[in-house]
Amino acid sequence: MKNWILCLVSCVLAGCGGGGVPEPTVEEHVYAHVVGLGDASGSEKMFQSAFVTGAVPQNRKDYGKYVYVIDGTAEIDGDEATVPVKIIAGMVVSPKGAQGKTAEQTETKMTWKLKREGEEWKIKEAPLPG
């Protein structure tokens, strides 16, 4: 999942020009883990691998009810990152992605924390609304 997102980000950044594909930035790695969490919640294994050891929430299916959007700039300090996240409920989600609004759409701004374990960024804290 995360490799797919990183590949997509790299392809978009590369454009149609010649030359090689640039390496994703630290921020892009961090952002990919945040926006991909809704998809990762569909698989126990993927969901667990998205979090640092000992921080996996027990309410995995609740994370699939939302769409996650980066809502500002991440603050990255060494191996830790703080990311402003807009959590959107009420989006119609299909295999093609988030589409349209429903009558009960809500947006909540939260702050999530990530930590690098080895070479990989993982979520340390991802509070949900309510």
Side-chain angles (χ1 to χ4, degrees):
M1 167 65 192
K2 65 183 169 211
N3 292 332
W4 179 83
I5 292 172
L6 291 175
C7 181
L8 178 63
V9 168
S10 295
C11 291
V12 169
L13 293 175
C16 297
V21 176
E23 182 67 25
T25 66
V26 171
E27 290 84 3
E28 291 167 340
H29 281 284
V30 168
Y31 294 159
H33 285 284
V34 171
V35 299
L37 189 59
D39 289 336
S41 69
S43 160
E44 182 69 35
K45 183 177 178 182
M46 287 176 55
F47 189 72
Q48 287 189 13
S49 71
F51 287 86
V52 298
T53 304
V56 180
Q58 297 300 310
N59 57 337
R60 173 179 62 93
K61 292 188 179 186
D62 290 342
Y63 283 85
K65 298 176 185 177
Y66 300 97
V67 173
Y68 307 101
V69 179
I70 305 302
D71 191 38
T73 304
E75 292 180 24
I76 300 173
D77 185 15
D79 289 339
E80 304 224 351
T82 303
V83 183
V85 179
K86 186 185 305 178
I87 301 171
I88 305 170
M91 294 292 291
V92 176
V93 181
S94 73
K96 295 180 182 178
Q99 302 173 357
K101 298 180 181 181
T102 65
E104 300 175 25
Q105 181 177 347
T106 61
E107 295 180 2
T108 305
K109 295 181 181 185
M110 305 292 279
T111 301
W112 287 10
K113 294 183 181 183
L114 287 85
K115 183 175 182 175
R116 188 176 3 218
E117 284 189 341
E119 294 297 315
E120 195 170 341
W121 284 94
K122 294 190 174 193
I123 299 169
K124 182 177 177 181
E125 296 176 20
L128 292 177

